Amino acid sequence: MAEKILMKGNEALAEAAVAAGCRYFFGYPITPQNEVPEYMSKRLPELKGTFVQAESEVAAINMVYGAASAGVRCMTSSSSPGISLKQEGISYMVGSQLPCVVVNMMRGGPGLGTIQPSQGDYFQATKGGGHGDYKLLVLAPSSIQEMVNLTMEAFDLAEKYRNPVMILGDGMLGQMMEPVIIEPKEPALYDKSWATTGTEGKRKPNVVNSLFIQAEECEKHNINLQEKFLQMEQNEVRYETLYEDAEYFLVGYGTTARIMRTVVNMARAQGLSVGLIRPITLFPFPHVAFDRVASHAKGFLVVEMSAGQMVEDVRLAVNGRQPVAFHGRTGGMAPEPKHILAELIKLMGEVK
Amino acid sequence: MFDHRVTVFVGPYGSGKTELSLNVVQFLAPQYHQIAIVDLDIVKPYFRAREFRTKLIHRDIRVILPQGELQHADMPSVSAEVFTVFHNPDLKVIMDVGGDDAGAVALGQYKAQFEKIDHEVLFVINTRRPFSQTADHLIEMKERIEWRSRLPITALVANTNLGAETTKETILEGYAVAQEVSKRTGLPIAFVAIDRRLHQDVKHIIKEPLFLVDRQMLPPWERNIEE
C-alpha cells in the first residue's frame, strides 16, 4: 500500500494525475497553481512522459487538443485569468469530442484580480465558458484527499464521455497541506478507435475536428452532444449531505464547504437544526439533494466566495419551495464562520 | 539550541520552515530584548510568516517583510530593511527562507554580510514530503541550496510530520533518515522538531535536543475555532 505523505493540494493533484496514467502535461505558470506544473516538470520526465511549459495558455490548451487527439491521457492546469484564455480550446475539444482534464485553482477576479482564493468562476465552469452549446463535467473537491480521488476519476470520466472534465478548486485548496494516500490504478479501458494514431495503411485516416460545413450535420452533432450531457445528469451526480433531517441547510462547495462544516458544528452546539448540502459535481448539479429534503426543510443559506453564482442553481433546484438566502465574499476574501452563523440565524428569524 | 545571533531556516519546499520560524521566534521572544523574524519567502504565495505580523508585533517581535502592497503579491521581493539586521549586534534574528534552491536564491545577496556575523544555517527535513523521502534526495537538495544561497549549511533539523496526523512512528522514521543524512554529510542534527502533543511518546528515544511545535499554519476554518 502507498504511504501517507504530506502534500499541498496542487502537488497532490499532479501526483494523482500521474497515478491515473496521465503522462502529458501542457501549461503556463500562474499563481496560485504553480506547484502543478512545477511538480509535473520534475515527475513526468522520470516516467518518460512529456512536460511542456507552453508560450501561453492558448498554446497549452491546443497542445492538449493535439495530445488528446492521439488518445493519450493529458492535462492542463491554470487559475482564473489563464482559464479564460483557454476557453476557445475547451469549446473546440468538446466539439471534437476529446477527453482531457482541465484544472482551475480559482483566484480573485475579474481581470487579474488577486492571488487569493475565490469561487468567481462557477458560471464559467458550469454554463459553458466558451462559445456554443456545451457542458463540462465539473468536479469540486473540498479536501486534498478528495481532490486526489476526483482527479484520478476525472481521467476515466473524460474518456467515458469523450468530453473535457474540469477540476474546480481554489487557491486555498491548491496551497494548503494535508496528509494523503495516492494509490496508482490501471486506467479504465474505453474505446479509442477514433484516435489519430496512424493508419499503418490499413484503414481510412481518423479525423478529429469540430467543423461541420452543413448545418444539418452540425445540428445532428449537437443533438448527440446534448444526449451525452443528459447521460452525465443521469449517471454522474455526486453530493454530500450532513444531517439530512435538519430544518435549515447551509449549501456550498470546495473550500467554502470546509468552512461551513465548522459553522454546522457551531450551530448544532447551540441546539439549532442545521445541516449541510455540498455539491461535489457542479455540472451535473445535484438537484436531487434538494428534492430529498423538500418535505421538511425550512430554508437554505448558500455561501460562496463570489457575488452569488451557484445560488442561482440552488434556487432552480429548490424551485420556490423554501426561501434561499445568500452570503458571499469576493476578491480573494474567505467567509468567516461567525458571519455565516449570523446570516443563518437571520434567515431562521425571517422564516419563523 | 539557537545560540548563534542569526538562525536561518532553509530546506526543501514545504518542509516546515515557516512553521518552525514562527514557533522558534515566539519561543525565544521572552529571552531577548530585541528579536526579529525576517520573511525572505519569495516562493510560496500563501501561508507566509507575514500573515502572522499582527500577532508577532504584539509579542514585541520585529517583523521584517516586503513593504506595503508588495507583501500580498507573488513577486520575488525582499525588504531593503533586511540589511539592517546584520548591523545590530544586540538583535536576535530568525530568517524564514523560501523552499528549495529557488527560494534559497534570496539569500545570495547577503553573502558578504553573513561572513561578518555569528550565524547558523539549518536545513529542515520532512521525509513525508514529495522528493524528500530518501537521504539521496535530501543531500542533492542540500547541495543545490548551498550553491544558490552561497551559504554553507551548518546543521540539520529533523521535522518529519504529517500535520495533524503525525504519530510517534512518523517522527522516528524521519529521524532515522535525518541520522543517515547527518552521517553522510558530517552535519550534526541541531534539534528534532515535534508536535508538543507527542512529547511524552518520543522524549526518551531521541538523543538530540527536542523543540516542541504548536501548529500555527492552519487553514482559515481551523484558525477560527481557536479564536
Side-chain angles (χ1 to χ4, degrees):
Chain A
M1 201 182 91
E3 189 184 55
K4 214 168 228 197
I5 55 173
L6 189 62
M7 292 182 102
K8 293 200 177 212
N10 288 330
E11 299 167 333
L13 181 144
E15 182 58 36
V18 167
C22 172
R23 294 291 180 273
Y24 300 88
F25 181 93
F26 312 91
Y28 186 84
I30 183 170
T31 307
Q33 64 80 57
N34 285 325
E35 293 82 2
V36 179
E38 183 74 22
Y39 192 95
M40 285 304 212
S41 73
K42 287 182 198 159
R43 195 72 174 93
L44 288 178
E46 289 178 1
L47 301 162
K48 299 200 181 348
T50 299
F51 166 87
V52 180
Q53 179 168 318
E55 65 268 40
S56 72
E57 288 87 346
V58 179
I61 191 70
N62 285 294
M63 290 175 186
V64 171
Y65 185 109
S69 300
V72 299
R73 291 201 155 181
C74 54
M75 182 168 90
T76 187
S77 166
S78 192
S79 178
S80 306
I83 295 293
S84 292
L85 282 164
K86 292 184 198 288
Q87 291 303 327
E88 180 198 48
I90 294 170
S91 168
Y92 275 49
M93 292 190 79
V94 177
S96 304
Q97 303 201 71
L98 289 173
C100 73
V101 175
V102 178
V103 178
N104 182 2
M105 293 294 174
M106 294 180 279
R107 59 186 249 178
L112 275 175
T114 57
I115 62 170
Q116 277 76 31
S118 158
Q119 296 178 320
D121 306 348
Y122 178 91
F123 284 153
Q124 185 194 54
T126 61
K127 309 298 175 192
H131 59 281
D133 278 311
Y134 76 87
K135 299 285 187 188
L136 305 178
L137 217 159
V138 183
L139 305 172
S142 89
S143 72
I144 310 300
Q145 186 66 56
E146 190 179 38
M147 186 141 72
V148 165
N149 301 346
L150 290 177
T151 300
M152 293 185 70
E153 214 176 330
F155 284 92
D156 287 344
L157 290 168
E159 289 181 0
K160 180 177 174 187
Y161 292 100
R162 287 183 61 189
N163 201 70
V165 174
M166 178 172 275
I167 303 286
L168 193 66
D170 62 66
M172 184 55 65
L173 281 167
Q175 293 296 324
M176 62 186 267
M177 291 171 99
E178 284 181 336
V180 290
I181 289 183
I182 304 175
E183 303 261 25
K185 65 166 189 180
E186 283 300 308
L189 288 177
Y190 293 101
D191 170 48
K192 287 191 181 167
S193 57
W194 48 266
T196 56
T197 52
T199 66
E200 295 178 2
K202 291 173 185 162
R203 59 165 168 83
K204 282 191 174 175
N206 287 334
V207 177
V208 172
N209 195 2
S210 65
L211 175 66
F212 294 80
I213 305 279
Q214 292 181 26
E216 290 88 346
E217 291 301 310
C218 195
E219 186 178 48
K220 252 190 239 171
H221 174 55
N222 266 281
I223 290 167
N224 287 340
L225 293 179
Q226 291 301 319
E227 176 58 30
K228 286 202 304 190
F229 305 141
L230 192 65
Q231 280 179 24
M232 291 179 195
E233 293 193 68
Q234 284 164 354
N235 304 331
E236 307 303 343
V237 167
R238 274 153 237 212
Y239 64 93
E240 180 188 14
T241 303
L242 292 183
Y243 304 110
E244 202 172 39
D245 60 345
E247 292 180 348
Y248 293 86
F249 288 90
L250 294 166
V251 188
Y253 67 97
T255 286
T256 310
R258 282 300 271 284
I259 299 171
M260 282 192 286
R261 272 174 201 275
T262 304
V263 183
V264 168
N265 293 336
M266 286 160 72
R268 294 189 77 89
Q270 294 183 23
L272 304 174
S273 178
V274 175
L276 172 72
I277 294 177
R278 175 173 78 88
I280 297 171
T281 49
L282 301 182
F283 180 84
F285 191 76
H287 290 257
V288 61
F290 299 88
D291 294 339
R292 283 175 62 96
V293 300
S295 61
H296 64 273
K298 291 186 177 173
F300 299 87
L301 173 63
V302 181
V303 182
E304 298 176 63
M305 293 191 285
S306 81
Q309 299 193 13
M310 186 180 72
V311 63
E312 294 192 3
D313 281 335
V314 174
R315 288 197 171 117
L316 283 172
V318 171
N319 201 14
R321 289 175 292 206
Q322 292 92 15
V324 177
F326 175 74
H327 175 66
R329 297 296 301 270
T330 57
M333 299 298 291
E336 289 183 38
K338 60 178 184 245
H339 294 146
I340 299 173
L341 186 61
E343 289 294 323
L344 184 66
I345 289 168
K346 192 173 131 202
L347 169 71
M348 295 169 97
E350 283 165 5
V351 172
K352 280 169 187 169
Chain B
M1 283 189 285
F2 315 115
D3 43 7
H4 300 270
R5 187 168 80 74
V6 176
T7 297
V8 183
F9 286 108
V10 297
Y13 194 54
S15 56
K17 300 170 293 298
T18 303
E19 184 74 87
L20 278 175
S21 299
L22 289 169
N23 271 274
V24 169
V25 81
Q26 290 175 79
F27 168 74
L28 294 176
Q31 305 165 35
Y32 289 87
H33 273 299
Q34 295 185 55
I35 186 163
I37 181 169
V38 179
D39 180 347
L40 270 185
D41 196 335
I42 57 164
V43 178
K44 68 179 183 292
Y46 299 5
F47 298 110
R48 296 181 287 202
R50 63 197 71 168
E51 293 174 27
F52 295 79
R53 181 172 171 268
T54 311
K55 182 180 180 184
L56 297 171
I57 289 171
H58 276 297
R59 298 187 180 194
D60 288 327
I61 297 163
R62 192 172 142 200
V63 184
I64 297 174
L65 76 175
Q67 293 303 293
E69 281 190 348
L70 279 178
Q71 66 181 280
H72 304 294
D74 51 345
M75 281 183 277
S77 61
V78 296
S79 171
E81 198 185 343
V82 177
F83 280 101
T84 66
V85 307
F86 295 103
H87 300 289
N88 179 352
D90 300 322
L91 183 67
K92 176 76 182 171
V93 182
I94 304 297
M95 282 196 187
D96 178 28
V97 181
D100 284 358
D101 46 338
V105 76
L107 284 169
Q109 63 183 309
Y110 308 113
K111 178 179 163 65
Q113 278 73 26
F114 275 113
E115 281 169 358
K116 291 176 205 152
I117 60 157
D118 172 37
H119 69 276
E120 60 180 346
V121 182
L122 304 181
F123 181 75
V124 180
I125 295 172
N126 180 355
T127 58
R128 286 298 188 108
R129 286 278 303 147
F131 310 112
S132 294
Q133 283 140 319
T134 65
D136 285 345
H137 273 115
L138 292 162
I139 291 167
E140 189 199 331
M141 182 53 76
K142 170 202 164 275
E143 286 165 3
R144 278 163 54 188
I145 287 174
E146 288 178 321
W147 169 248
R148 295 293 290 278
S149 67
R150 308 205 289 171
L151 280 179
I153 285 165
T154 59
L156 311 173
V157 173
N159 184 45
T160 293
N161 73 86
L162 279 173
E165 296 183 29
T166 311
T167 61
K168 175 185 166 186
E169 288 69 35
T170 323
I171 294 170
L172 295 179
E173 154 212 301
Y175 175 57
V177 179
Q179 282 179 312
E180 189 192 338
V181 175
S182 172
K183 201 171 158 191
R184 284 171 55 183
T185 58
L187 295 172
I189 296 176
F191 60 92
V192 179
I194 56 166
D195 190 315
R196 184 181 301 279
R197 293 167 304 174
L198 295 164
H199 187 202
Q200 295 304 324
D201 298 347
V202 298
K203 69 176 182 186
H204 301 298
I205 307 173
I206 293 171
K207 62 178 192 289
E208 280 85 0
L210 297 178
F211 180 77
L212 305 183
V213 175
D214 299 299
R215 289 180 66 227
Q216 307 192 20
M217 305 304 283
L218 298 168
W221 52 91
E222 287 181 41
R223 277 183 223 171
N224 256 297
I225 295 172
E226 291 178 345
E227 277 163 16

